[in-house]
Amino acid sequence: QVQLVESGGGLVQTGGSLRLSCAASGRTLSSYGMGWFRQAPGKEREFVGAITRRGERIYYPDSLKGRFTISRENARSTVALQMNNLEPEDTAVYYCAASNGRPTMWENDYSYWGQGTQVTVSS
């Protein structure tokens, strides 16, 4: 199995950028499709994006295309989420997750989760 730890969250003004990182330990990261999710206070967890095991395919919800970018470096056991032009609506706890199969938009398809990192966007 794999252990995941997110980092890079913080407070940023509207229009700013943040780069989140997900560090994996245990089983090799290339064994997993990876996803990012977020959960705002009082709301359900939301799909942010996913990347296949070798990074050949990346998926985003239409609402986030163009602002968020996912990448991975299997040799360094890390997955990154670059977030640009942030808006107050992006305020949430962001989670990375690992899937034994193809990464999807459904959180039930992911077996391993990090503890999350808080992102707060001020207006």
Side-chain angles (χ1 to χ4, degrees):
Q1 61 183 39
V2 65
Q3 293 77 44
L4 305 172
V5 178
E6 302 94 337
S7 62
L11 175 64
V12 63
Q13 291 185 335
T14 296
S17 298
L18 278 176
R19 184 177 179 85
L20 305 184
S21 182
C22 175
S25 60
R27 192 176 176 190
T28 180
L29 186 65
S30 60
S31 299
Y32 301 96
M34 298 298 294
W36 283 95
F37 292 79
R38 68 185 183 184
Q39 188 166 21
K43 295 188 177 181
E44 294 185 351
R45 195 173 291 181
E46 176 187 20
F47 173 68
V48 172
I51 185 168
T52 51
R53 296 178 184 184
R54 292 186 299 275
E56 68 273 25
R57 295 185 187 273
I58 304 173
Y59 308 97
Y60 304 100
D62 288 343
S63 60
L64 297 179
K65 282 182 180 177
R67 293 197 301 123
F68 287 19
T69 303
I70 294 174
S71 60
R72 67 189 296 164
E73 291 188 66
N74 287 338
R76 296 188 176 187
S77 296
T78 59
V79 180
L81 176 65
Q82 177 68 41
M83 305 185 294
N84 297 327
N85 195 20
L86 285 163
E87 306 166 352
E89 293 73 22
D90 296 317
T91 295
V93 178
Y94 284 71
Y95 300 90
C96 69
S99 170
N100 289 304
R102 183 175 65 88
T104 72
M105 64 181 291
W106 308 109
E107 57 181 286
N108 287 343
D109 289 337
Y110 295 84
S111 300
Y112 307 100
W113 292 80
Q115 83 290 348
T117 186
Q118 176 70 47
V119 171
T120 302
V121 184
S122 63
S123 58

